[in-house]
Amino acid sequence: MADYQAMWKDLGMDLETHDQLCAVLPMAFGDTYLTQENRPENMAFYDFVVSEIHGVRPAELIELQKQGGKVFGTFCVFVPDEVVVACGGAVTGLCGGSQFWVPEGEKVLPSGICPLIKASLGAHFGKTCPYFSVADMYVGETTCDGKKKAYEILGADKKTYVMDVPQMKREKDIAAWKDEIALFAKEVEAETGNELTAENLARAIRTINEKRRALARVFEARKADPVPISGKDALLMMQIAFFDDPVRCAETANKLADELEARIERGEGVVPAGTKRILITGTPLAIPNWKLHHIVETSGAVVVCEEMCTGTRYFENEVDEGEGTLDGMFQALAQRYMKNNCACFTPNPGRVADVVRMAKEYKVDGVIDANLKFCTLYDVEKAPLADALAEEGIPCLGLETDYADNDAEQLRTRIGAFIEML
Ligand code: BJ8
């Protein structure tokens, strides 16, 4: 790996603690990823990104800043990347996925809060993540209570703009989200010093749609049996999509999709045809949270779809490209983003319908509904989801976990027994 010590120092990071993180990640990645067989060749790009995860992309973002560009750190797929990209900015996803950051987060948050939030604040306050350090500002959103309140704490330390996500999906809520997008656009214009125009926004909408289509192609390939890519590799592609440049993200995902489609034509899979197929739904799996996928895929099954924000919710539904005015585009953005079936909405029948639809489309043998500990929203949706799947005769296993490894053996036993009975 290249030497990024000087860059991290300039970013004001805690180098000593960061070194400890850098020491464990390659081992975790090696054990989880590099032990897989018959991986697509185009995963080499994603392996490279992981090997330089705190170096290569932050260095690009610093370069952008030197040319006057701004970096927006986000925590939710509701923040419309299109607006930032249109104004020449870059978006980087910041959700923390490692137990490493949790204790630091617990210094500023109660311990009974979801690990994603604790890890995110831990990464910020511990100064051990260059993506947090490089961001010019954070963009939060009012999805769950924990995040909403956490932004107050973050905002006391770094500029944090919070978007007010409606909690229902009536016409008036879509109109309210459109207004929020228009307000956010003003903020982005002020931060970047660039005007948002119908031309640059239309261009950005096309760019992000292109990225969505590329990611969707990879998921489409996962419907084949034998499946041409492991769930772990598909998850890694998704996790990296959150902080990569959108044009490159589309290029690399398209290359991967080309390879997978060729594999399908040859009837070649990453596991034998007939291997038990699992859909995972629930809270997002932020990098480097590979725990569940690893357990499933070393227990004789394969993950073929993720109905979550690090999965289908990130790329399903495109923004209508037919609008010519800024106002029309704000409306198109509002309509697209409000199709996301996050459990923060009430009621939220769309998510249950999505999981049932995808279970059929991806021809799954079983569903694992996994939420992060202390996430009430997804926890409460477990029962109606299990009922809907039972009605369709699709087995479902509900799990709750966090980032720590101490439940790995218990999870392995439960997941192993579930796969066994499929
Ligand atoms: S659109 S799923 S990315 S909010 S797991 S922090 S909900 S307590 S992450 Fe999410 Fe946006 Fe919804 Fe997607 Fe809270 Fe739950 Fe933690 Fe969560």
Side-chain angles (χ1 to χ4, degrees):
M1 178 161 122
D3 187 3
Y4 295 107
Q5 293 285 336
M7 178 181 87
W8 294 329
K9 191 159 178 251
D10 286 350
L11 285 172
M13 291 172 59
D14 174 346
L15 296 184
E16 219 172 287
T17 316
H18 184 246
D19 280 351
Q20 294 166 18
L21 176 61
C22 291
V24 292
L25 188 68
M27 214 157 44
F29 187 71
D31 291 349
T32 313
Y33 274 85
L34 305 180
T35 48
Q36 297 182 98
E37 282 171 15
N38 196 18
R39 298 177 73 209
E41 278 174 17
N42 281 287
M43 285 310 296
F45 167 77
Y46 302 98
D47 292 352
F48 165 73
V49 173
V50 174
S51 72
E52 301 252 336
I53 194 140
H54 279 183
V56 66
R57 182 64 180 147
E60 283 182 0
L61 294 173
I62 290 169
E63 205 40 51
L64 176 87
Q65 287 170 326
K66 282 187 189 150
Q67 289 158 23
K70 297 287 177 182
V71 178
F72 294 73
T74 63
F75 302 84
C76 176
V77 300
F78 265 97
V79 177
D81 291 0
E82 290 88 344
V83 173
V84 174
V85 170
C87 289
V91 180
T92 184
L94 290 181
C95 293
S98 169
Q99 177 64 22
F100 184 85
W101 290 309
V102 169
E104 195 66 33
E106 285 177 344
K107 290 185 187 164
V108 291
L109 288 165
S111 56
I113 208 165
C114 117
L116 188 149
I117 302 174
K118 287 190 288 196
S120 300
L121 266 66
H124 168 90
F125 286 103
K127 301 189 190 317
T128 45
C129 176
Y131 294 95
F132 279 80
S133 304
V134 80
D136 291 290
M137 65 180 279
Y138 300 148
V139 186
E141 73 314 309
T142 55
T143 45
C144 68
D145 287 355
K147 276 186 171 183
K148 224 159 33 189
K149 299 307 285 179
Y151 297 132
E152 294 174 16
I153 301 172
L154 273 183
D157 205 41
K158 185 183 270 210
K159 184 174 178 186
T160 303
Y161 180 86
V162 178
M163 297 186 77
D164 188 5
V165 178
Q167 309 283 286
M168 297 175 82
K169 291 191 177 182
R170 301 158 301 182
E171 274 308 308
K172 78 182 190 97
D173 298 308
I174 297 171
W177 186 236
K178 179 187 167 193
D179 290 348
E180 270 304 297
I181 294 175
L183 274 179
F184 177 56
K186 291 259 164 290
E187 182 69 30
V188 174
E189 284 182 317
E191 181 70 21
T192 60
N194 293 329
E195 191 194 345
L196 185 75
T197 65
E199 288 70 35
N200 60 28
L201 185 54
R203 216 172 21 246
I205 287 174
R206 285 197 296 275
T207 300
I208 304 298
N209 273 346
E210 183 53 44
K211 165 174 161 174
R212 291 190 182 108
R213 281 192 283 273
L215 298 170
R217 274 185 69 201
V218 172
F219 269 60
E220 191 59 34
R222 300 173 75 191
K223 293 178 181 170
D225 186 21
V227 63
I229 183 170
S230 69
K232 274 192 280 196
D233 279 340
L235 175 65
L236 185 63
M237 172 196 76
M238 287 305 306
Q239 291 172 330
I240 288 172
F242 278 77
F243 48 88
D244 200 5
D245 169 74
V247 173
R248 182 175 48 212
C249 174
E251 273 169 21
T252 52
N254 272 322
K255 272 194 205 153
L256 178 60
D258 289 343
E259 185 181 355
L260 301 183
E261 287 163 13
R263 279 186 164 196
I264 294 170
E265 247 173 54
R266 295 194 300 270
E268 191 182 319
V270 74
V271 287
T275 301
K276 296 296 177 206
R277 302 164 66 85
I278 303 290
L279 178 150
I280 301 190
T281 179
T283 46
L285 297 170
I287 199 165
N289 183 5
W290 306 307
K291 185 161 97 173
L292 277 179
H293 280 60
H294 184 58
I295 294 175
V296 171
E297 297 196 330
T298 49
S299 300
V302 61
V303 179
V304 294
C305 180
E306 296 82 19
E307 189 285 321
M308 51 179 54
C309 287
T310 43
T312 53
R313 277 184 239 140
Y314 190 53
F315 61 75
E316 277 205 333
N317 305 306
E318 292 178 17
V319 178
D320 183 357
E321 294 180 13
E323 296 294 338
T325 64
L326 268 183
D327 189 68
M329 289 179 219
F330 287 155
Q331 176 68 18
L333 285 166
Q335 277 166 337
R336 185 268 160 194
Y337 280 89
M338 288 291 280
K339 285 184 189 149
N340 182 332
N341 294 317
C342 173
C344 68
F345 289 101
T346 183
N348 189 34
R351 176 164 166 248
V352 173
D354 280 347
V355 174
V356 170
R357 166 176 61 86
M358 287 174 204
K360 293 177 183 169
E361 283 178 10
Y362 289 80
K363 300 183 277 297
V364 310
D365 296 287
V367 169
I368 295 182
D369 181 10
N371 72 282
L372 288 168
K373 250 179 213 160
F374 304 113
C375 178
T376 322
L377 297 171
Y378 283 85
D379 202 12
V380 172
E381 285 199 354
K382 276 217 175 79
L385 183 59
D387 290 348
L389 288 167
E391 252 178 55
E392 298 285 338
I394 303 164
C396 175
L397 173 69
L399 295 174
E400 191 173 67
T401 182
D402 58 14
Y403 293 165
D405 270 334
N406 50 15
D407 64 350
E409 279 320 302
Q410 196 200 348
L411 285 175
R412 186 171 285 284
T413 308
R414 291 191 62 198
I415 290 172
F418 179 65
I419 293 169
E420 190 78 6
M421 63 125 221
L422 292 176

